[in-house]
Amino acid sequence: MNREEAVKRAAALVGQMTVEEMASQLRFDAPAIERLGIPAYNWWNEGLHGVARAGTATVFPQAIGLGATFDEALLGQVAQAISVEARAKYNQAVRDGDRDIYKGLTLWSPNVNLFRDPRWGRGHETYGEDPYLISRLGVAFIHGLQGNGAYLRTAACAKHFAVHSGPEAERHHFDAQVSLKELWETYLPAFEACVTEGQAEAVMGAYNRTNGEPCCANTYLMEEVLRGKWGFQGHYVSDCWAVRDFHENHKVTASPEESVTLALSKGCDLNCGCTYQRILDAYEKGMLPLEQIKRSAIRLFTTRFLLGMFDETEYDAIPYTAVECRAHLDLAERAAAESVVLLKNDGLLPLNRKALRTIGVIGPNADSRAALMGNYHGTASRYITVLEGLQDYLGEEVRVLYSLGAHLFRDREESLAQPGDRLSEAKAVCRHSDVVILCLGLDESLEGEEGDTGNAYASGDKRDLQLPESQQRLLQTVIDSGVPFVLCMMAGSAMDLNLASEHAGAILQAFYPGARGGKALAKLLFGEISPSGKLPITLYRDLAHMPAFTDYAMTGRTYRFVEQAPLYPFGYGLNYGDTAVTAAAADADTYEEAARNGLVVTVTAENRGSMDVEEVLQVYVRVDSPDEVPNHHLAAFQRVKLAAGSRREISIPVDRMAFSVVNDQGERVFSGNGAQVYVGFGQPDARTAALTGKHGVTLSLT
């Protein structure tokens, strides 16, 4: 069904409703209108990395791990699997008369906010810190969710619009101040791509204000940009209870009726929360025109018609058995494998199972289901932790010793014991092991959304980059033992890895790898497959040069603006091969030509190693313009397979917009006097070169 037909049907249906009935449909928990044959519908469902909060579903790696794959095709496949499972669960729920929350087809995903500050607790819900990477993965995810059939398979929602990335504790009253240049250079590109290219059916507004106006009633963002410049035709939904913040926290209105009127006048169609229960009050007081209520109702029913809720569709036959089917579980394992980033390897990896008698597995995240999941997750029928993955992989061939070593954040595991009550056991495991896999990090109880789980850190944000003291003591204990060890860091954000980088034989950044994460990690550790993930974020050495968390200016943040050399840079990741870009040529010589048509870079890539690998070819551009960001910016990427001892020629297109810059007025212009185009398997920065011992190829456009 096309949108024009859906709008006509929606308008005809809404035209039969009373004002009270229209108003009721603008709540997330819309009741049935039996006389019109309209069933109840709850709009709130989540699909960040699997259908969430509604029972069993395939649990894929958390979004930040999916970001580390740099794999658009994979993101599309993951999203398709999520949408198929959402349909399967919806079909069964409807047959059973279950219209509850988290059972619908409107998935409030993906989160395409930019991970600007490593302290933000919700950063692991995003695809990282780069606007281009987020844009490409976000569009692929939306296409996967919505499909290309006669109807939408599910409706995607790009969130949280816009300029939103903490602090969590202040989001209900915070005003994010940002220049027009940084707004269009950093904070809006992913949303623009998701709306104009991805055709996301929904956009969710953030809690905070941006430049003085609430994001769920923002004249510039919602009217001028979203529906004006971008031509958005879908529906707009508030973050949950964000409209209530207008009068209770932002103080831009004085009553719920004023908040309702303001939100609807700016085009916030759907209220996640309870404030829209006051729509009739505002209408009866003459504050709210009927036409605005009707407009939003039509938009919402347009989405329901596009989903085929009142028709027979090609998706009605998707059986419940599609949930956690073998193909989806295999895909989750593949995604987990691609998401892991090898940060350091002094030759310890891959492990040789024939040379090992005993392997120690230590740490609070070694046998933790929570460390697999991240947040906004479903429930897997089986979780494979790192410990279980190694036990399954090695069988009886190698003895696996295990110790918790430390509580995730408390100073002891047993309340009646003394502090550090698991350290002696960890020492014993080290003493009797040939090698140790040390699993440290966080989980959703330490980083996440404000109010989610009573986070140990204030409102889900981190205070700093340090591991909890209990884990710092455990790390030092393992170092002091002298046993060779691999650090497996399971966290959704940058952590302080300075000490580990000095002493660990190898470091794997595993993020939150999903329910099959332990199985994938076992294969990676023993070289059945090679690590291939790349960092979607910068791993800083410390926060010494980081601006205040509440400062939304980008100076000093992310690889495009950082001045201090990081510990591990954005785009970096090792593998078990010996890969390099040895030559490159472009089909354009001048900046003007590239700005007009884009260009294609033809690359010669080699793997001089003895193991087949996958790599991520990366193209960075720096325009010769005073309006360019301080450092280079990612302009293209492509996953490539490189067989052992092979040489390949690869062509990679670079869009013309990579050669644009944003001026102080927020205008994207082509004002360069030339450009540098760098091609490699990482950034063109000195730190990447020092870590890899490799340089890519730089091309100059005059």
Side-chain angles (χ1 to χ4, degrees):
M1 175 182 294
N2 60 42
R3 182 170 295 276
E4 183 179 359
E5 181 184 352
V7 170
K8 287 180 180 178
R9 292 178 67 182
L13 184 59
V14 171
Q16 302 175 58
M17 297 180 189
T18 65
V19 178
E20 183 178 9
E21 287 169 338
M22 286 185 210
S24 73
Q25 298 302 296
L26 274 53
R27 296 164 21 196
F28 79 95
D29 53 345
I33 305 177
E34 293 182 5
R35 71 179 187 86
L36 296 178
I38 299 172
Y41 183 67
N42 196 302
W43 290 79
W44 189 344
N45 201 0
E46 306 284 354
L48 184 64
H49 57 118
V51 182
R53 301 176 175 175
T56 303
T58 304
V59 180
F60 293 94
Q62 174 61 302
I64 193 68
L66 295 175
T69 68
F70 280 64
D71 192 337
E72 293 178 74
L74 175 69
L75 266 287
Q77 292 166 24
V78 167
Q80 179 176 335
I82 293 169
S83 67
V84 166
E85 294 196 8
R87 273 283 177 176
K89 294 169 80 68
Y90 171 81
N91 291 345
Q92 188 64 55
V94 166
R95 292 187 192 105
D96 293 334
D98 184 355
R99 302 281 181 171
D100 201 2
I101 193 171
Y102 310 130
K103 309 290 176 64
L105 298 175
T106 42
L107 301 182
W108 290 350
S109 301
N111 182 339
V112 293
N113 291 131
L114 185 126
F115 198 174
R116 70 179 177 98
D117 191 298
R119 289 167 284 200
W120 186 32
R122 297 190 75 178
H124 59 102
E125 297 177 28
T126 78
Y127 299 131
E129 69 180 36
D130 179 70
Y132 180 78
L133 177 66
I134 300 168
S135 298
R136 301 323 313 152
L137 298 185
V139 167
F141 196 84
I142 289 166
H143 285 163
L145 286 184
Q146 298 190 161
N148 57 2
Y151 296 88
L152 297 176
R153 190 164 45 235
T154 55
C157 177
K159 65 182 187 184
H160 310 82
F161 191 65
V163 196
H164 173 72
S165 54
E168 287 293 298
E170 300 178 35
R171 64 184 183 170
H172 297 287
H173 59 83
F174 182 70
D175 184 12
Q177 292 286 328
V178 63
S179 69
L180 283 173
K181 177 175 173 60
E182 291 191 318
L183 181 66
W184 286 95
E185 190 173 68
T186 292
Y187 294 106
L188 292 186
F191 286 99
E192 182 174 11
C194 289
V195 168
T196 61
E197 186 180 349
Q199 296 292 303
E201 181 60 20
V203 170
M204 177 182 283
Y207 285 110
N208 54 279
R209 281 170 287 153
T210 292
N211 293 338
E213 288 190 286
C215 291
C216 292
N218 193 294
T219 304
Y220 182 72
L221 291 175
M222 296 171 66
E223 294 185 325
E224 296 183 32
V225 174
L226 183 63
R227 294 202 183 271
K229 291 185 178 182
W230 298 345
F232 176 63
Q233 298 181 55
H235 69 268
Y236 196 96
V237 55
S238 75
D239 209 336
C240 296
W241 285 267
V243 177
R244 183 178 66 186
D245 286 337
F246 291 7
H247 54 275
E248 290 193 355
N249 296 306
H250 293 303
K251 305 296 184 182
V252 298
T253 57
S255 69
E257 291 81 6
E258 287 186 16
S259 296
V260 165
T261 301
L262 178 62
L264 281 169
S265 72
K266 299 301 179 184
C268 184
D269 305 303
L270 182 66
N271 179 214
C272 181
C274 55
T275 311
Y276 276 19
Q277 293 175 4
R278 307 296 285 272
I279 287 177
L280 284 178
D281 294 335
Y283 171 73
E284 291 169 357
K285 291 179 179 180
M287 301 167 63
L288 180 61
L290 173 60
E291 198 55 41
Q292 291 183 1
I293 302 172
K294 187 175 183 180
R295 178 182 67 178
S296 290
I298 291 173
R299 287 175 180 163
L300 294 174
F301 275 94
T302 297
T303 298
R304 292 180 71 171
F305 277 111
L306 287 171
L307 285 162
M309 290 184 175
F310 302 97
D311 302 324
E312 290 186 6
T313 78
E314 60 195 289
Y315 308 120
D316 296 347
I318 295 176
Y320 181 77
T321 51
V323 175
E324 254 197 348
C325 64
R326 172 51 54 191
H328 292 176
L329 293 175
D330 290 345
L331 182 63
E333 182 184 332
R334 175 188 155 203
E338 288 193 21
S339 74
V340 176
V341 184
L342 178 60
L343 300 177
K344 178 188 176 183
N345 187 19
D346 66 3
L348 183 59
L349 295 180
L351 299 173
N352 182 353
R353 64 196 296 171
K354 294 181 179 179
L356 295 176
R357 293 172 299 172
T358 305
I359 184 171
V361 183
I362 299 174
N365 278 346
D367 196 31
S368 167
R369 291 183 171 186
L372 300 175
M373 294 187 293
N375 65 356
Y376 281 91
H377 54 78
T379 302
S381 62
R382 185 190 177 197
Y383 297 90
I384 305 177
T385 66
V386 178
L387 174 63
E388 292 168 333
L390 287 167
Q391 289 171 330
D392 292 346
Y393 190 84
L394 295 171
E396 300 298 320
E397 187 178 344
V398 177
R399 177 74 187 275
V400 178
L401 300 179
Y402 166 66
S403 172
L404 180 72
H407 187 276
L408 188 69
F409 59 91
R410 291 198 290 265
D411 68 353
R412 70 202 76 188
E413 175 66 17
E414 300 293 339
S415 59
L416 297 180
Q418 295 180 358
D421 59 332
R422 291 293 185 267
L423 287 176
S424 62
E425 181 183 60
K427 291 178 183 178
V429 170
C430 289
R431 190 174 299 117
H432 291 89
S433 298
D434 299 315
V435 65
V436 161
I437 312 301
L438 177 62
C439 300
L440 304 179
L442 309 175
D443 64 23
E444 67 174 329
S445 69
L446 294 180
E447 60 174 351
E449 184 172 6
E450 176 241 6
D452 254 6
T453 54
N455 307 100
Y457 294 162
S459 298
D461 293 328
K462 298 187 305 186
R463 293 186 295 267
D464 51 43
L465 306 185
Q466 300 296 321
L467 286 165
E469 187 175 346
S470 59
Q471 295 190 54
Q472 293 182 48
R473 292 181 65 187
L474 175 59
L475 172 60
Q476 190 61 58
T477 296
V478 174
I479 291 171
D480 291 344
S481 75
V483 66
F485 75 97
V486 178
L487 174 63
C488 181
M489 178 58 66
M490 303 174 77
S493 56
M495 303 300 297
D496 186 338
L497 292 175
N498 288 286
L499 184 63
S501 68
E502 292 181 31
H503 297 282
I507 302 175
L508 291 171
Q509 178 71 44
F511 299 105
Y512 300 127
R516 314 301 277 193
K519 185 175 182 180
L521 279 160
K523 292 181 178 180
L524 288 166
L525 286 166
F526 282 90
E528 187 171 323
I529 50 178
S530 172
S532 60
K534 300 288 184 178
L535 284 177
I537 53 175
T538 299
L539 298 188
Y540 304 92
R541 294 181 183 274
D542 52 47
L543 293 177
H545 302 279
M546 186 70 63
F549 195 0
T550 52
D551 183 353
Y552 266 70
M554 291 302 296
T555 303
R557 288 190 168 95
T558 77
Y559 80 96
R560 295 182 305 139
F561 297 89
V562 72
E563 298 174 354
Q564 308 297 320
L567 186 62
Y568 295 111
F570 172 91
Y572 165 76
L574 302 172
N575 56 55
Y576 293 153
D578 181 9
T579 56
V581 170
T582 56
D587 65 352
D589 297 320
T590 67
Y591 171 79
E592 288 77 10
E593 188 179 354
R596 185 170 58 251
N597 302 316
L599 54 79
V600 175
V601 182
T602 301
V603 177
T604 301
E606 298 181 5
N607 177 11
R608 300 161 183 157
S610 58
M611 183 173 179
D612 297 348
V613 302
E614 285 194 15
E615 259 287 10
V616 178
L617 187 63
Q618 300 168 47
V619 180
Y620 292 84
V621 167
R622 191 166 198 286
V623 176
D624 180 11
S625 168
D627 290 319
E628 178 64 289
V629 296
N631 303 324
H632 41 269
H633 63 271
L634 184 67
F637 60 88
Q638 183 177 312
R639 267 195 170 252
V640 296
K641 294 183 178 181
L642 295 172
S646 70
R647 174 185 296 177
R648 281 189 61 190
E649 197 170 84
I650 303 153
S651 293
I652 180 168
V654 181
D655 190 87
R656 63 184 291 266
M657 298 308 293
F659 300 95
S660 65
V661 293
V662 177
N663 63 24
D664 290 340
Q665 290 72 48
E667 301 165 331
R668 189 165 287 279
V669 295
F670 295 90
S671 61
N673 295 314
Q676 302 292 310
V677 179
Y678 175 89
V679 190
F681 291 131
Q683 284 188 63
D685 65 312
R687 181 59 178 160
T688 298
L691 287 166
T692 62
K694 307 282 178 63
H695 294 272
V697 177
T698 299
L699 306 173
S700 294
L701 303 180
T702 58

